[in-house]
Amino acid sequence: MAITTGTGQRPTIRMVAELAGVSTATVSYVLSGRSGDGGPRVSDPTADKVRSAAEKLGYRPNQAARAIRTGRTNTVILSLTMLSDPWSLSVIEAVQRAAAPLGITPMILGDAEWVKVLGTHNADAVFVDAVGERDRDEPRRLAAHGTTLVVFDELLEPAGFDVIRSIAGPGCGLVMAHLLDGHRNIGCLTTSTASGSRGAPRYLAYVEALGAAGIPVQEDYVGVFDGTSAGAYATATRLLGQRDRPTALYVTSDYAAISAINAAQRLGLTVGQDVDIIGVGNTVEGERMSPSLSTVGPVDLFDRLARLLLQRATGTGPDAEPGVLDFPWQLFVRESAPHRGAATRLY
Amino acid sequence: MAITTGTGQRPTIRMVAELAGVSTATVSYVLSGRSGDGGPRVSDPTADKVRSAAEKLGYRPNQAARAIRTGRTNTVILSLTMLSDPWSLSVIEAVQRAAAPLGITPMILGDAEWVKVLGTHNADAVFVDAVGERDRDEPRRLAAHGTTLVVFDELLEPAGFDVIRSIAGPGCGLVMAHLLDGHRNIGCLTTSTASGSRGAPRYLAYVEALGAAGIPVQEDYVGVFDGTSAGAYATATRLLGQRDRPTALYVTSDYAAISAINAAQRLGLTVGQDVDIIGVGNTVEGERMSPSLSTVGPVDLFDRLARLLLQRATGTGPDAEPGVLDFPWQLFVRESAPHRGAATRLY
DNA sequence: CTGTTAGCGCGTTCAG
DNA sequence: CTGAACGCGCTAACAG
């Protein structure tokens, strides 16, 4: 039984050693499980004495002290800029899944604090999801000073750190090509039409593809919403509710596309037949819904990201040299926007 | 100028001392700013030598080592169960705002890992947003072993840790009383009607208030949605789109209420006139929108929570004894559901 | 007034 | 199984 009231102070390995009547070295060997495995053998009775003393005191080894000696913290840091973005949640989930069996704890850093924090707080590996304009050189400097880094960026080159690359532009072109093979009245639902914004390249792909096909961009076929799913629903309702509605909808995120499908269904339209809807991002939610969402995006991004990060953290990876992990985007043709050859064209 | 390529190893205070030609003590005094303040004074030339050596090496003091000596990590941990919930984001933002000027870094712990993690990873203070059934005794044990804890819970009593309390039930009763003073056809938009779920007490308040007023609960006045804002929008559209629509809508979260207002407006209804809509939670978003959202909720919860947490972390608080920080819920009557006396009753 | 020596507090780990 | 050194940065006490 553990003592339930304490001194207000944290028990140390010395207290455990004293209570068990052994040396701190023995306690360390027993509790870190290193007895036998290269370290000295500790007899069962002694080990039991140590364990019961530790439990009695509620002893937990101090990770900070351990880190000083071993250089390992059993921690990975995730620096995530947009915590409200479902993308961030997917990263967190994947890393948590991968880290739990290894006894590694993922800690999340909001904002862009990594620039200040990472030099002083240590972790076995760090994932950074966005490198600002002013910090382009920071990853290299941190890596040079011993920080194990995995950076998500479209342009940065590896230099002692890994780079994860997932470029949207060409993939969005694939989507438009797919829709253009069967449709001419293609609407677009997007968060932003302004250049420079994050969604910009996705919208640009729409404009360019239409232009290349000789189709003018119609104002009432482009719906800009505020980023919320309710906004997407409302804007999709407007686009699809008009008399001369588009026969296909290109939506610049899977989450918005799911809202658009709901909106279409509420309008009495059969998605994948009366109207084709396609998203961007390749999220699991889109794959699992009904009708399943056609989309484009990287394959298995989050799990592979998590795997790399934890390989780096534990030092168990196959390739020692940091490099680029590229995620080319693929088109996933599913029910919400099936294939339409010229033969099966509806109009 | 900082050297930009390094050894792959982290520079230590000893390397800085050697490069500057001084002792490690001097380096420590200079870099921690403690020279003069009780400690020895260091001459300007020496201090400059130290600083330039430190910068040349890219030296950053090791927080883990510092923590061992000082017992302070300059870190607070936020253990947040539902990272996708806007509530969590509000906590994070408030704590980040409060922590930044103090040089304290908030680290976020997803899931319910705090039970395993907190004994070994140290922070100056920890916030826990939900204590599961199996862990009711953990906060007391952690506190007894030196962890500074602030727990969000409706029932737990302080025992070496602080408790933040914010009870929804009575507040939701206030909302219903407000609506019942002018309405009889009151609809409800909620995520769950099942007892035991998180939203349950909020829905219960609806049922009980109607019952007390002798009004039966109509099935077509209750809309259950999936928790997404698109779902709220769609369900609100259904509730308000029917012939015999409710004249007031009680929505069990502010975020859903905002979606409901959008839905009502799209249906051509004037909110606050044709239909009253009221939320739960008292979020800033509701306050700032137009029409402003009537709601009920705690006042200033996030900022006061952040303030308490950081007082505990720095040990600067006024009251030394941990206790209960209670947030009684208040009714905020704004434009989306204004006052309606018997005199101004619409029906 | 300026700087150093030496020991502390952790848990780990090598040589006995 | 133990003694003692080790890694880190901090800081009281001391020396110039």
Side-chain angles (χ1 to χ4, degrees):
Chain A
M1 265 291 292
I3 287 185
T4 47
T5 64
T7 59
Q9 286 310 304
R10 177 189 200 113
T12 72
I13 199 171
R14 277 166 245 275
M15 300 182 201
V16 178
E18 196 175 353
L19 183 60
V22 298
S23 71
T24 63
T26 303
V27 176
S28 177
Y29 284 129
V30 170
L31 296 182
S32 59
R34 277 199 11 83
S35 72
D37 157 54
R41 250 173 289 277
V42 178
S43 74
D44 281 354
T46 308
D48 283 344
K49 271 196 306 186
V50 169
R51 272 187 283 265
S52 83
E55 208 201 339
K56 199 170 226 154
L57 294 174
Y59 170 77
R60 310 285 266 106
N62 184 332
Q63 283 284 8
R66 175 176 283 179
I68 278 187
R69 251 328 271 199
T70 63
R72 292 214 36 205
T73 58
N74 296 318
T75 292
V76 294
I77 289 181
L78 308 178
S79 171
L80 299 170
T81 328
M82 289 281 291
L83 234 34
S84 55
D85 196 318
W87 194 91
S88 299
L89 294 179
S90 298
V91 172
I92 294 169
E93 272 171 34
V95 173
Q96 275 176 347
R97 257 198 316 276
L102 303 174
I104 290 181
T105 306
M107 310 264 315
I108 302 153
L109 210 54
D111 240 14
E113 301 196 76
W114 63 277
V115 179
K116 292 167 237 152
V117 171
L118 256 44
T120 100
H121 289 79
N122 260 1
D124 295 343
V126 180
F127 171 72
V128 174
D129 77 342
V131 177
E133 274 313 313
R134 288 163 211 79
D135 307 319
R136 304 302 289 177
D137 201 37
E138 283 300 320
R140 200 178 45 70
R141 294 186 47 172
L142 285 167
H145 292 337
T147 302
T148 303
L149 218 52
V150 176
V151 171
F152 188 81
D153 195 278
E154 293 205 351
L155 299 174
L156 232 41
E157 288 297 331
F161 56 91
D162 289 287
V163 175
I164 291 186
R165 206 158 276 172
S166 172
I167 303 179
C172 295
L174 289 182
V175 166
M176 287 304 298
H178 173 65
L179 293 182
L180 282 164
D181 180 26
H183 296 274
R184 286 190 62 84
N185 298 333
I186 302 174
C188 176
L189 182 60
T190 183
T191 51
S192 168
T193 59
S195 70
S197 69
R198 185 173 175 172
R202 301 181 179 191
Y203 175 66
L204 211 63
Y206 172 75
V207 176
E208 284 175 355
L210 286 191
I215 303 174
V217 175
Q218 296 184 45
E219 201 178 315
D220 53 352
Y221 273 18
V222 176
V224 179
F225 69 102
D226 57 6
T228 70
S229 63
Y233 185 97
T235 307
T237 302
R238 177 172 63 72
L239 287 178
L240 297 176
Q242 52 193 336
R243 261 184 315 270
D244 231 16
R245 62 166 177 80
T247 61
L249 212 52
Y250 165 68
V251 190
T252 59
S253 86
D254 273 13
Y255 297 95
I258 291 170
S259 294
I261 288 179
N262 289 334
Q265 289 174 332
R266 176 146 296 274
L267 288 169
L269 300 172
T270 302
V271 174
Q273 202 165 320
D274 302 329
V275 63
D276 284 355
I277 295 181
I278 198 162
V280 173
N282 188 27
T283 62
V284 282
E285 287 83 353
E287 186 176 359
R288 291 191 188 143
M289 71 179 301
S290 174
S292 56
L293 180 68
S294 294
T295 185
V296 68
V299 184
D300 206 23
L301 173 69
F302 302 111
D303 285 334
R304 285 179 60 198
L305 185 163
R307 212 178 310 147
L308 173 65
L309 188 69
L310 289 161
Q311 279 174 1
R312 292 311 188 200
T314 56
T316 58
D319 17 282
E321 286 309 301
V324 173
L325 193 57
D326 206 335
F327 288 89
W329 283 32
Q330 284 184 25
L331 184 64
F332 297 86
V333 178
R334 295 197 280 247
E335 295 165 1
S336 75
H339 280 296
R340 305 213 185 282
T344 60
R345 184 171 303 202
L346 290 183
Y347 59 98
Chain B
M1 267 294 289
I3 287 185
T4 46
T5 65
T7 58
Q9 285 309 304
R10 180 191 196 108
T12 72
I13 199 172
R14 276 166 249 274
M15 301 183 199
V16 178
E18 195 176 351
L19 183 60
V22 298
S23 72
T24 63
T26 303
V27 176
S28 178
Y29 284 127
V30 169
L31 295 182
S32 58
R34 280 204 4 89
S35 71
D37 158 55
R41 249 169 283 277
V42 177
S43 72
D44 281 353
T46 308
D48 282 344
K49 269 196 304 185
V50 169
R51 273 187 284 265
S52 82
E55 206 201 341
K56 200 170 225 156
L57 294 175
Y59 170 76
R60 310 285 267 108
N62 183 332
Q63 283 283 5
R66 174 178 284 180
I68 276 188
R69 255 323 268 186
T70 62
R72 291 214 39 205
T73 58
N74 297 318
T75 291
V76 294
I77 289 181
L78 308 178
S79 170
L80 299 170
T81 329
M82 290 279 292
L83 234 35
S84 55
D85 196 319
W87 193 90
S88 299
L89 294 179
S90 297
V91 172
I92 294 169
E93 273 171 34
V95 172
Q96 276 177 347
R97 257 199 314 276
L102 303 174
I104 289 180
T105 305
M107 311 266 307
I108 301 154
L109 209 54
D111 240 14
E113 301 196 77
W114 63 276
V115 178
K116 293 166 240 154
V117 171
L118 255 46
T120 98
H121 288 80
N122 260 0
D124 296 343
V126 180
F127 172 72
V128 173
D129 77 342
V131 177
E133 275 311 313
R134 288 163 211 80
D135 308 318
R136 306 301 290 176
D137 201 37
E138 282 301 318
R140 198 180 46 69
R141 294 186 47 172
L142 284 167
H145 292 337
T147 303
T148 303
L149 217 52
V150 176
V151 171
F152 188 80
D153 194 278
E154 292 205 352
L155 298 173
L156 233 41
E157 288 297 329
F161 57 91
D162 288 288
V163 175
I164 291 186
R165 206 157 275 173
S166 173
I167 302 180
C172 295
L174 289 180
V175 166
M176 286 304 298
H178 174 65
L179 293 182
L180 282 165
D181 181 27
H183 295 275
R184 285 190 62 84
N185 299 333
I186 302 174
C188 177
L189 183 59
T190 183
T191 50
S192 167
T193 58
S195 69
S197 70
R198 186 173 178 173
R202 302 182 180 189
Y203 174 67
L204 211 64
Y206 171 77
V207 175
E208 285 176 354
L210 286 191
I215 303 174
V217 176
Q218 296 184 45
E219 202 178 314
D220 54 350
Y221 274 19
V222 175
V224 179
F225 69 102
D226 57 6
T228 70
S229 65
Y233 185 97
T235 308
T237 302
R238 179 171 63 74
L239 287 178
L240 296 175
Q242 53 193 337
R243 261 185 315 272
D244 230 17
R245 63 167 176 80
T247 61
L249 212 52
Y250 165 68
V251 189
T252 58
S253 86
D254 273 13
Y255 296 94
I258 290 170
S259 294
I261 287 179
N262 290 334
Q265 288 173 333
R266 176 146 295 274
L267 288 169
L269 300 171
T270 302
V271 174
Q273 203 165 321
D274 302 328
V275 62
D276 285 355
I277 295 180
I278 198 161
V280 172
N282 189 27
T283 61
V284 283
E285 287 82 352
E287 186 176 358
R288 290 191 189 144
M289 71 181 301
S290 175
S292 57
L293 179 68
S294 294
T295 187
V296 68
V299 184
D300 207 20
L301 173 69
F302 302 110
D303 284 335
R304 285 179 60 200
L305 184 165
R307 212 179 308 148
L308 173 65
L309 188 68
L310 289 161
Q311 280 175 359
R312 292 311 189 201
T314 56
T316 58
D319 16 283
E321 286 308 303
V324 174
L325 194 56
D326 206 336
F327 288 90
W329 282 33
Q330 283 183 26
L331 185 64
F332 296 87
V333 178
R334 297 196 280 248
E335 295 165 1
S336 76
H339 280 296
R340 307 214 184 277
T344 59
R345 186 169 302 203
L346 289 183
Y347 61 98

